[in-house]
Amino acid sequence: MKIAFVGKGGSGKTTLSSLFIRHLAANEAHVIAVDADINQHLGAALGLDEREAAALPSMGAELPLIKEYLRGSNPRIASADTMIKTTPPGEGSRLLRVREDNPVYDACARTVRLDDGDIRLMATGAFEESDLGVSCYHSKVGAVELCLNHMVDGEDEYVVVDMTAGSDSFASGMFTRFDMTFLVAEPTRKGVSVYRQYKEYARDFGVTLRVVGNKVQGPEDLDFLRSEVGEDLLVGVGHSDWVRAMEKGRPARFELLEADNRMALQALQDAAEDSYALRDRERYTRQMVHFHLKNAESWGNDKTGTDLAAQVDPAFVLDDRCLATGVAATA
């Protein structure tokens, strides 16, 4: 499953995504975690100290390597320089599998040891002072989108992405790259404002969206959220002494997380797993092509000097058959 955590700034989405990642690891799932937020805090939430978090490699800095590897022997792509963030795989492209070693993971991923298992952590890289006036953060997130386009995952395999705050992911097609989007919302009017944006944008693309209420203090807060988001409300998460200790750098073992919050995390996993059988891989591939053609026409063709529509392999579908070899092939 590919899972996104979204929400407004300060909603607690990074904290909740880190708890979900720990929960999956405790349940022996195989996890790749991706910090795609402009504020890079997922590493710290997973227990890295400042030095370790700062030492995480930047996916944005490794974009040429990522492109060259994913291109593989795809005859429709003349060179890695002509690939953009939306370039879809086709016959001959290399794909990324969760449980493998490859040059992309070697360059961009680091193993993080949690209480109940190891996960791989990748990060887009922080927005540096040198980027000001030169590039936008979407150029870094583009590395994540390209990897998601080439990612195949099976049962008990999760790619969990902590997205940038607000609705910035709609600046590209990345919001359609997920099997499940968890929107973290506080029980306030501002807290549900991002939900309304997501719901409106996602409606036409079949995006599965569930709301996780955070900082919920009682039934009145849940009633408020339910009145605002209806059946999209999945569960509420309340105060956590475990999280407070973690934020101070002194977390207890994860097994000591409050029972109510453990049950809430299990509800998230159950909801994700329930949607696994509903995955429409043809639609997923079709949407990938749609946003690639849109980006090609608006800026990609001019930037690369190439007709990027020619990169589309009309016979290719990114489905579970690709898991076997890790190399794309048409049916």
Side-chain angles (χ1 to χ4, degrees):
M1 305 292 294
K2 300 180 182 74
I3 310 291
F5 277 82
V6 301
K8 78 173 188 66
S11 64
K13 67 177 181 59
T14 298
T15 298
L16 279 173
S17 61
S18 71
L19 292 176
F20 185 60
I21 290 163
R22 291 176 185 270
H23 173 79
L24 292 175
N27 285 349
E28 300 182 348
H30 301 269
V31 183
I32 293 176
V34 182
D35 191 345
D37 195 351
I38 191 170
N39 299 307
Q40 301 267 282
H41 296 316
L42 184 58
L46 290 170
L48 301 186
D49 60 31
E50 290 185 11
R51 177 187 59 80
E52 292 169 327
L56 289 172
S58 165
M59 294 179 70
E62 298 293 344
L63 190 55
L65 179 150
I66 293 171
K67 290 180 177 179
E68 189 60 52
Y69 179 78
L70 297 179
R71 175 190 169 217
S73 61
N74 187 335
R76 296 173 180 273
I77 302 176
S79 71
D81 291 337
T82 65
M83 295 177 71
I84 62 175
K85 63 183 181 179
T86 55
T87 296
E91 185 172 6
S93 297
R94 290 195 184 98
L95 304 175
L96 301 175
R97 293 175 291 180
V98 172
R99 304 188 222 182
E100 70 174 2
D101 295 318
N102 58 54
V104 173
Y105 294 160
D106 290 343
C108 301
R110 293 295 179 266
T111 299
V112 176
R113 201 151 288 211
L114 303 176
D115 291 343
D116 301 297
D118 297 344
I119 59 102
R120 277 176 167 148
L121 175 61
M122 304 170 74
T124 57
F127 195 67
E128 305 290 349
E129 186 175 348
S130 60
D131 294 320
L132 294 174
V134 178
S135 62
C136 70
Y137 191 66
H138 296 121
S139 63
K140 297 179 183 291
V141 178
V144 180
E145 186 169 357
L146 191 60
C147 286
L148 289 174
N149 278 357
H150 291 73
M151 179 76 71
V152 286
D153 52 278
E155 293 188 70
D156 298 323
E157 297 179 344
Y158 287 82
V159 182
V160 180
V161 183
D162 180 24
M163 298 286 287
T164 194
S167 55
D168 277 2
S169 63
F170 290 104
S172 70
M174 194 155 76
F175 72 99
T176 66
R177 301 299 84 207
F178 301 101
D179 300 298
M180 174 69 74
T181 296
F182 291 125
L183 189 144
V184 181
E186 299 167 84
T188 64
R189 292 175 64 185
K190 287 184 178 180
V192 298
S193 61
V194 174
Y195 162 79
R196 294 194 182 94
Q197 289 178 300
Y198 252 86
K199 188 70 173 178
E200 180 179 350
Y201 292 144
R203 184 178 293 114
D204 295 335
F205 292 92
V207 173
T208 304
L209 178 68
R210 301 302 302 272
V211 174
V212 182
N214 193 29
K215 306 177 186 178
V216 172
Q217 297 182 9
E220 289 185 0
D221 284 345
L222 283 176
D223 289 342
F224 171 81
L225 287 169
R226 194 171 291 110
S227 70
E228 295 291 327
V229 308
E231 294 181 354
D232 286 339
L233 179 63
L234 176 62
V235 72
V237 178
H239 173 79
S240 171
D241 290 332
W242 191 96
V243 168
R244 181 63 61 88
M246 180 269 290
E247 291 174 340
K248 293 177 179 178
R250 299 193 294 269
R253 286 192 59 82
F254 184 65
E255 63 191 23
L256 298 178
L257 180 70
E258 298 85 0
D260 287 350
N261 290 331
R262 289 294 294 266
M263 290 176 63
L265 294 173
Q266 186 60 51
L268 268 63
Q269 185 176 2
D270 290 344
E273 291 180 349
D274 286 345
S275 68
Y276 182 84
L278 303 177
R279 301 205 296 183
D280 185 341
R281 308 315 277 163
E282 290 187 2
R283 184 184 69 190
Y284 186 89
T285 306
R286 191 165 59 247
Q287 290 174 343
M288 187 190 313
V289 170
H290 167 78
F291 283 104
H292 178 62
L293 296 177
K294 190 174 181 180
N295 278 266
E297 184 177 351
S298 63
W299 62 271
N301 290 342
D302 289 339
K303 181 177 181 178
T304 63
T306 304
D307 178 12
L308 297 179
Q311 294 180 344
V312 176
D313 184 344
F316 177 75
V317 175
L318 186 67
D319 58 23
D320 292 341
R321 290 172 294 181
C322 300
L323 274 170
T325 64
V327 178
T330 53

